[in-house]
Amino acid sequence: MKITNNSVVGLTYELKVSKDEEEVESAPFSVEVRDGEDPFFFLFGNSGLPEKFEELLAGKAKGDSFNFIITAEDAYGQADEEMIMALPKDQFNSQNGFEPNMLEEGNFLPLIDENGFPMQAKVIKDLGEEILLDFNHPLVGFDLHFDGEVFEVREATEEELEHGHVHGEHGHEH
């Protein structure tokens, strides 16, 4: 079976990222590896992944390998200054499940957006009463280098189609 809309796709891959800035081309570094013990499953056509990612995988079958680069423009775009905000520190108290050491610079805070989806914000600076957070996607501004193999392709169940995501992902829900 080939990858088409509404098929459930399992992939194993290594994702490396690089920044292509003027004069500075960083060597790609690995940010995520999914192997046969923990493949990445998603519902094709409803993955929340960059469109280009799905385009490049369409029509492949189990056992096919893939290797492509998605530029930042086609992936998560460039960083948006408006996504950097200072919020009152008392929102991040222990009642809301935050520990003081979670607010250290460089950490990612697990948050929920207004639609109830999990998101991350990077702590940029502790301003005393407030904390400066960056809500840009962690991969914003990076080119994504995917190198992997199609692990599985199957029909989605009715339940999966109804909910728009795949079950049995060990908590990797998007």
Side-chain angles (χ1 to χ4, degrees):
M1 162 170 184
K2 293 203 157 120
I3 297 178
T4 52
N5 259 359
N6 291 336
S7 52
V8 168
V9 182
L11 304 175
T12 56
Y13 61 80
E14 179 175 18
L15 168 59
K16 293 181 175 176
V17 298
S18 62
K19 261 194 164 54
D20 187 10
E21 291 167 340
E22 293 161 32
E23 290 136 39
V24 196
E25 207 175 310
S26 67
F29 62 92
S30 181
V31 289
E32 188 181 22
V33 175
R34 300 298 284 268
D35 59 20
E37 286 176 14
D38 182 25
F40 172 67
F41 282 97
F42 66 98
L43 188 58
F44 196 83
N46 190 0
S47 66
L49 295 160
E51 224 167 277
K52 190 82 173 173
F53 180 76
E54 293 199 343
E55 259 173 50
L56 291 164
L57 287 171
K60 291 195 178 300
K62 181 176 173 165
D64 287 355
S65 58
F66 55 90
N67 190 334
F68 49 74
I69 296 176
I70 301 177
T71 61
E73 278 63 41
D74 285 332
Y76 295 103
Q78 298 301 332
D80 179 355
E81 295 297 318
E82 287 177 11
M83 299 288 280
I84 297 175
M85 295 171 236
L87 296 177
K89 215 192 246 178
D90 54 24
Q91 285 187 12
F92 302 100
N93 54 31
S94 52
Q95 280 153 324
N96 293 341
F98 294 96
E99 301 300 325
N101 63 348
M102 290 170 78
L103 302 180
E104 287 168 13
E105 293 176 14
N107 282 357
F108 282 97
L109 292 179
L111 302 170
I112 303 286
D113 71 11
E114 60 269 12
N115 303 315
F117 286 104
M119 61 183 294
Q120 291 180 319
K122 188 175 184 178
V123 180
I124 300 182
K125 206 167 169 49
D126 186 336
L127 305 169
E129 296 289 298
E130 293 187 317
I131 188 159
L132 191 60
L133 296 176
D134 183 351
F135 287 90
N136 282 296
H137 189 284
L139 294 176
V140 86
F142 283 104
D143 293 345
L144 312 183
H145 304 242
F146 282 95
D147 184 5
E149 191 174 295
V150 180
F151 181 78
E152 190 184 345
V153 184
R154 64 173 171 80
E155 305 266 345
T157 64
E158 276 177 36
E159 194 183 358
E160 285 171 333
L161 290 175
E162 212 170 285
H163 294 288
H165 62 74
V166 180
H167 290 284
E169 285 194 69
H170 318 299
H172 287 292
E173 290 189 4
H174 294 287

